Amino acid sequence: MVKGSNRNINLDLIRIIAIFSVISVHFFLYIGFYDMPVSEKNMIIMTYLRNIFMVCVPLFLVLTGYLFGDKKPTKKYYLKLDKIIFIYIISWLFYTCFKTIYFNSSYNLLENIKLLLDYSWAWYVEMYIGLYILAPFLNIVYNNLESKKNKKILLASFLLLTCMPSIFNIKTSIVIDYWVPLWPITYYFIGRYLKEYGFKISTLKNIILLLISFLIFGSINLYFSYGKTFIWGIYNDWHSLQCVITTVLTFILILNLNLEKLPIFIKKVINKISILSFGMYLNSIIFDTIFYNILKSKVSSVDDRLIWYFVMVLSVFVSSMILSQIIEWFRKIFIYFHKNVYKKYERKFLDEK
């Protein structure tokens, strides 16, 4: 833990790896990876790399389940959504203003309000708000299963309904797949289970299993896509067995690391980036647009763009972090104004009345 804080440094690191993976997955989208046949060496390498970074969203969901186990459907709990909504709205304002200026177009208020309300530019937020609302009730279900055996059955049931189709329904429907959209809840319950029971495995064995998983699943993806444009199918989507296994192994690996001996400064940096990660996710779209348009204008071949991976991802990562910090300052100013100015005049008004 960071000195003077009750935050778990391992969980903060998981959050950082998740946001780094989100920005990395976007790399493949913005450089045109999905538009080119998987045949050249660099395209093959990118097929394996994409598989590694697909843990991005599932890591956030497992982390939510891990942290939200004590949440109850109270007014205080739901009012805490204000932070998420505030960051979302301010990020939307930045994004819509950026679009108008960058593309030299007129500001269409109705179109941008629609963008705000339909979450099409930030689908994860819509999903996360729904999960946040449901979390206390998911906890009631989980906590009322008194035995470890019954909790395993619950977890197995969700895996059966959301994950098994990724194995058996690749060519044709063999098992029911109607409930696949519930996959965020599957990851939530995985997080709840890991919080309560943990998973003990040596770091070396964990790393070996993770590397083997990345190799096997990357090879499966290469098999289906070789010679064609990359296939984003049910077998490699976020609800797939691939993602479940690699996500759980990644989560456990980081969770079990002994990070207590890290210098205080490093812990504070990890803590700070973790706090800013939600804003970073939202604002990365601005810097994706800027940096990848520059890259595509300078490097015409998709294959050759791979060598720019670290430059592009780190540029987006740092820029998004800076803007996220600016939004966090706005939020703190708003809170200060609300507590010390608005409330003061509200009390004065009520007293006079």
Side-chain angles (χ1 to χ4, degrees), residues 211-273:
L211 291 175
I212 291 173
S213 298
F214 285 142
L215 179 63
I216 292 174
F217 298 141
S219 297
I220 290 173
N221 296 336
L222 180 61
Y223 170 79
F224 281 106
S225 296
Y226 188 76
K228 298 170 283 189
T229 54
F230 184 84
I231 299 172
W232 191 330
I234 61 170
Y235 57 87
N236 59 13
D237 210 336
W238 280 309
H239 63 82
S240 68
L241 181 66
Q242 290 189 19
C243 268
V244 170
I245 291 175
T246 54
T247 297
V248 171
L249 287 173
T250 301
F251 190 93
I252 292 170
L253 174 64
I254 304 166
L255 185 66
N256 291 335
L257 290 177
N258 183 4
L259 303 176
E260 289 305 312
K261 293 182 180 180
L262 283 176
I264 294 296
F265 172 74
I266 299 298
K267 289 183 179 180
K268 287 183 178 180
V269 171
I270 292 173
N271 171 242
K272 186 63 178 177
I273 298 174

Side-chain angles (χ1 to χ4, degrees), residues 11-182:
L11 301 183
D12 281 338
L13 184 57
I14 289 172
R15 197 174 282 109
I16 290 173
I17 289 174
I19 186 60
F20 185 85
S21 296
V22 166
I23 294 172
S24 293
V25 164
H26 289 172
F27 171 83
F28 302 108
L29 172 65
Y30 286 102
I31 67 166
F33 168 75
Y34 297 106
D35 301 323
M36 300 296 293
V38 179
S39 56
E40 299 298 326
K41 181 182 70 174
N42 283 356
M43 291 295 293
I44 292 172
I45 292 172
M46 285 190 274
T47 300
Y48 282 92
L49 287 176
R50 178 196 174 276
N51 176 254
I52 292 172
F53 294 121
M54 279 294 285
V55 300
C56 53
V57 171
L59 277 179
F60 278 122
L61 298 176
V62 175
L63 188 60
T64 301
Y66 192 92
L67 291 171
F68 277 38
D70 61 342
K71 305 305 180 185
K72 295 179 173 58
T74 62
K75 179 181 178 181
K76 181 180 179 181
Y77 169 73
Y78 288 115
L79 284 177
K80 288 184 178 180
L81 259 176
D82 64 347
K83 179 179 179 180
I84 299 296
I85 293 171
F86 182 90
I87 295 173
Y88 176 67
I89 291 174
I90 300 301
S91 298
W92 164 79
L93 283 172
F94 271 108
Y95 176 55
T96 55
C97 290
F98 160 76
K99 278 201 313 171
T100 302
I101 296 169
Y102 187 81
F103 294 107
N104 194 25
S105 59
S106 58
Y107 192 89
N108 188 320
L109 181 60
L110 290 178
E111 181 182 305
N112 287 320
I113 288 176
K114 181 178 181 295
L115 192 68
L116 173 72
L117 299 178
D118 70 11
Y119 299 93
S120 58
W121 68 288
W123 68 269
Y124 173 80
V125 179
E126 184 177 21
M127 181 266 288
Y128 182 78
I129 289 175
L131 186 62
Y132 190 101
I133 292 169
L134 288 174
F137 304 102
L138 298 177
N139 292 338
I140 292 171
V141 172
Y142 182 88
N143 293 333
N144 276 280
L145 298 173
E146 297 179 353
S147 69
K148 184 177 181 180
K149 177 183 176 182
N150 285 341
K151 290 172 182 176
K152 283 184 175 180
I153 293 173
L154 173 70
L155 203 53
S157 299
F158 270 88
L159 287 169
L160 175 67
L161 293 171
T162 64
C163 178
M164 287 304 104
S166 71
I167 304 172
F168 296 105
N169 292 7
I170 295 176
K171 294 294 184 181
T172 184
S173 292
I174 297 176
V175 299
I176 57 172
D177 58 6
Y178 186 85
W179 301 96
V180 167
L182 292 180

